[in-house]
Amino acid sequence: DNYIKLKNYSMAETLINDAANYHSKDFRVLERKLNIELLNNRNTEAKRTINSIKALDSKNYFANYAEGLLNERMGYYKTAMTLYERAIIIDRNRAEAPVSLAYLQLASGNSNRALSLLNNNIDNNPRMAESYYHLANYYYLNRNYNNALSEVSNAFYYYTNYNEAKILQANIFLSLKRYNEAIGILEYIPDSEFKNNSKYYYIGNVYEEANNYQNAKNSYINYLRTKPEDELGRLAYERVLLNTNPTPDYERNRAALYYGNSASYYTRLADNVRAQAYLKHMLKLNPANTYARLMLSDVYRRMGLEERALEELEIAKNVNPEDKSIVYKYDSYKRRLDRNIPSRNWGIENQYNLEKSGFTIAIADTITAQKDSPMFFNTALYQTLSYVLPQYGKFQVLDIYTNYYSERDLYSELNSRKVDYFLRGSTFENSADNFTVMLDLVEVRNERVVTNFTITTKGKDRIMNAAVMTGRVIENSIPFYSKVINIHNDNIYINAGKLQGLTNDMNLLIYNTTTATTDLSNRSADMSIGMLKVITADENVSLTKLIDGRALNRININQIVIPYITNTAVNSVQTQN
């Protein structure tokens, strides 16, 4: 037990293995073996040990807790919560299950239940510093910083050199803008005490929050030296780089090129969402990156968005006017397209200058980083969502996550900006490799939850993968609309096309209203003026005709058009990966 407390797991395991030679069926030996396996993320071995313990005693507290923890690591949160509840029933005085359950309840939005569990844990374990640490973290996550500092002091009373509590105290000071105190704490904590070697990431957080971007950049660079492929570190480095290097230069271009391999990989896989997201990421850092422009042009061409492909070629040509291969590619492509873009034959010079179709979803500061997540953990998710969500053509995206609003002020702001939906919920890491989001998609007008979903991803690109899967849920959960933009004879033109998923011969419904509401897709077909058929879908605009031409005299500009569907989106989605 002492070696485990000192994190000398190899020596602890040696002693446990020696004990197991003589007491192979002693549950106390097996519990310690299981604890070491959990601490080292050896989940397969831990599962076998759980089975061995349960074979001896199916009501063993630690085996039930550990099984819950394994389910949590895999993203099966409801199962994990059930197992934690079972473990608490077996032994109400142990701390592990109540604390784990409290964090999941908090992430699920059940703040009162979480607080009750943590207070009960203090009642049962009043001399454990960890009890006060977790209650302090609860207050910190709920922005109650004074209570958080008070509980951290209680933790130090029982364990003066409690480094996890010191890191939490630094985060609280950071939130209170007491930057020097936060830096002073972090500088003197040994590197080994930080989860995932993240000391310099935390120090960078303090400098970034204090707008000391140069020192923040230097700290993030030190962090990336040990973990060069870490998403969290990369996104943090780029945030401050845009401030320290306001114009594109060598350093920004080098940061952009890091994403070149990922962009190329997903381009070859024809994964258009990820490919575009990484390429837009590169172009934000360096808009003159010809490599990214040419690759993005190829992605658009493969998607059938040839006018957009031409735009990217034109930018690449303007950046490199001496590159004859780019000039030739642009000129030949332009000559061919000038004769083959349908919307130009309809008198629409630039189909991308039209009013955008689809409802608007806001990326607001409404996703809370839970558990012991570092500062700016949720900001990294916001950044990635802002690259990913615009690649789904059926809805518009508004970034307002850099400002914090109270709940009522948020709804006021969203209504003033004519936003239809926003995301709300939690995000956290289960381990160094797992990333989880538990989100609600909220409709602004009625203040109701349209759908709620949980996503757990793993691996190097886990934040990107979570953002892509979030986009899919949104696309499948909200309706889509477009508008009539022109009428010529019996030709009816609407501001949606291939980019929004329209295809030739698709059926649409047109309504006698110019105001789009989110419940239009639930109305029956007989409430509409009539049905349209797509004759020709261009990239961002389509030519349609009424199936029953007798209703033509009722068609007007700006009337709302939606796809004809026979079933609505599922209202509750549970996504796990």
Side-chain angles (χ1 to χ4, degrees), residues 193-204:
E193 293 297 323
F194 287 84
K195 186 173 65 173
N196 304 327
N197 299 314
S198 57
K199 177 175 182 174
Y200 287 105
Y201 177 83
Y202 277 91
I203 292 174

Side-chain angles (χ1 to χ4, degrees), residues 231-326:
E231 273 185 300
L232 205 58
R234 281 280 162 192
L235 291 164
Y237 170 59
E238 289 155 24
R239 282 197 307 270
V240 298
L241 187 60
L242 294 171
N243 287 281
T244 59
N245 304 46
T247 57
D249 58 6
Y250 170 76
E251 189 175 6
R252 280 178 57 167
N253 188 51
R254 185 178 61 186
L257 288 176
Y258 170 79
Y259 297 100
N261 288 336
S262 294
S264 177
Y265 173 74
Y266 287 114
T267 299
R268 292 195 303 272
L269 287 180
D271 187 334
N272 298 323
V273 170
R274 286 180 175 84
Q276 287 182 85
Y278 280 119
L279 290 169
K280 298 290 180 63
H281 204 152
M282 294 175 71
L283 291 171
K284 183 171 184 178
L285 289 164
N286 182 12
N289 189 308
T290 306
Y291 171 78
R293 294 286 178 190
L294 294 174
M295 197 182 304
L296 187 57
S297 176
D298 289 340
V299 172
Y300 285 148
R301 187 163 58 248
R302 187 177 60 238
M303 294 172 64
L305 307 178
E306 296 190 285
E307 193 167 354
R308 271 197 162 180
L310 182 63
E311 288 177 0
E312 296 301 326
L313 277 178
E314 184 175 13
I315 296 171
K317 184 198 73 166
N318 293 337
V319 172
N320 298 273
E322 304 301 321
D323 190 322
K324 293 182 179 179
S325 64
I326 296 177

Side-chain angles (χ1 to χ4, degrees), residues 469-488:
M469 295 172 71
T470 298
R472 290 176 185 165
V473 173
I474 295 169
E475 187 176 50
N476 291 328
S477 300
I478 66 176
F480 169 73
Y481 79 92
S482 58
K483 288 185 175 183
V484 175
I485 58 171
N486 194 18
I487 304 168
H488 181 69

